[in-house]
Amino acid sequence: MADTDTLELLLRKLERHTPLPEADRRAVLALPAHGRSVPPATYLVREGEPPTSCVVLLSGFAFRHKIVESGARQIVSLHLPGDALDFQSLYLRYADHNAQTLTRADLAVVPIAAMRELVTTRPLVARAVLMDLLIEASILREWIVNIGRRNARARLAHLLCEFACRMDIIGLSEPDGYALPMTQEQIGDALGLTSVHVNRSIKALSQEGLITRKGRLIGFPHIKELREVGDFSELYLHLDEAIG
């Protein structure tokens, strides 16, 4: 069984929108789980395989992606510490996507059968999981709009604003900005752009004074203006949402 502190991140994520009674909180913390540390590019979910576990990201970053026949990759979501990868495996027989680590990561691995038992016997926990899935779907819709209807400069600005907002929520912002865990190639795969186009867009935002760069540390000296460039509204993140 994992230490209570290990599953505390999962509990915190579930309670962000759905406060749980003490009995449900104890049930979450009592889930059988084991810790695991993995290097970058480790597959956590493979398309076409039946799920055997629900992985909670304790540290580091991960992403979901699809690979088309040509071998090209489309990144469809970015995951931060506290995120569960992935709750849809509770209800679907096979994975329809891949999930990999972006960086070195620490994980809590919960057997899928134990997680299914939890949501079956604890209705409020099931509602918390449902809320998490609904918000993930909302983020995915925004990513589709971002790729389909915004230009390269706006796409990049939007992605950076979302990353900053989500990092702020979990308390991982730094005084000088945010350590973006993605290479330019990975950013391109998330935005439907080439690495060259990503590089040009980063330089453009930097020359306009909307971002600062120091290695992978990105600073936002004019976040209001950057949000305007990216047509960014945090509504789709449902930060104040709650199930009554």
Side-chain angles (χ1 to χ4, degrees), residues 185-207:
E185 179 183 0
Q186 290 163 342
I187 293 172
D189 286 349
L191 299 180
L193 301 170
T194 65
S195 298
V196 172
H197 211 158
V198 170
N199 184 263
R200 289 173 180 166
S201 299
I202 291 174
K203 286 183 177 179
L205 293 178
S206 181
Q207 289 168 355

Side-chain angles (χ1 to χ4, degrees), residues 55-69:
V55 177
V56 181
L57 195 61
L58 302 180
S59 70
F61 298 87
F63 65 103
R64 293 182 189 164
H65 66 91
K66 299 275 289 186
I67 297 177
V68 298
E69 187 176 357

Side-chain angles (χ1 to χ4, degrees), residues 88-191:
Q88 54 259 52
S89 295
L90 296 172
Y91 307 104
L92 299 177
R93 188 175 179 184
Y94 297 103
D96 54 33
H97 64 280
N98 302 293
Q100 278 182 281
T101 52
L102 270 170
T103 63
R104 184 165 189 82
D106 294 318
L107 315 171
V109 183
V110 181
I112 199 74
M115 188 66 77
R116 284 173 177 160
E117 176 69 14
L118 179 69
V119 298
T120 299
T121 58
R122 302 281 177 174
L124 286 179
V125 176
R127 292 172 72 180
V129 169
L130 174 61
M131 176 63 84
D132 192 74
L133 289 169
L134 290 173
I135 292 173
E136 281 196 8
S138 177
I139 293 173
L140 179 59
R141 286 191 291 273
E142 189 67 24
W143 277 45
I144 292 171
V145 172
N146 199 40
I147 294 173
R149 293 299 176 184
R150 296 187 179 110
N151 61 34
R153 177 170 165 267
R155 290 183 209 180
L156 177 60
H158 192 281
L159 177 66
L160 293 176
C161 287
E162 178 186 304
F163 181 71
C165 189
R166 292 174 64 189
M167 290 286 278
D168 284 343
I169 293 169
I170 60 176
L172 288 184
S173 58
E174 300 180 25
D176 297 325
Y178 307 85
L180 188 66
M182 305 173 77
T183 64
Q184 290 187 9
E185 179 183 0
Q186 290 163 342
I187 293 172
D189 286 349
L191 299 180

